[in-house]
Amino acid sequence: ALRRAEKQGEIVGEKRGIMKVALGMIQKGLDNETIAELTELTQEEIEQLRRQ
């Protein structure tokens, strides 16, 4: 159970890092398609970041 919780924590932390990078890309003016290609985020996730 502990290993599974650790793995889940790693996944959540990695996703947060990717979201932070994507937010920087948005601020630099990159388009959603490029951000999706580089980060593997969905269009919906990118749109959610844009609305923040």
Side-chain angles (χ1 to χ4, degrees), residues 21-41:
V21 169
L23 197 53
M25 292 175 171
I26 290 167
Q27 291 169 348
K28 292 284 186 185
L30 272 70
D31 61 281
N32 286 8
E33 187 174 317
T34 301
I35 295 169
E37 183 179 324
L38 296 173
T39 64
E40 298 182 358
L41 293 175

Side-chain angles (χ1 to χ4, degrees), residues 2-44:
L2 182 57
R3 287 203 188 277
R4 192 161 62 192
E6 288 175 345
K7 186 68 174 172
Q8 185 65 29
E10 287 176 21
I11 292 168
V12 170
E14 185 176 319
K15 187 75 165 188
R16 282 188 188 145
I18 291 170
M19 297 288 231
K20 186 174 181 180
V21 169
L23 197 53
M25 292 175 171
I26 290 167
Q27 291 169 348
K28 292 284 186 185
L30 272 70
D31 61 281
N32 286 8
E33 187 174 317
T34 301
I35 295 169
E37 183 179 324
L38 296 173
T39 64
E40 298 182 358
L41 293 175
T42 66
Q43 294 290 333
E44 184 176 307

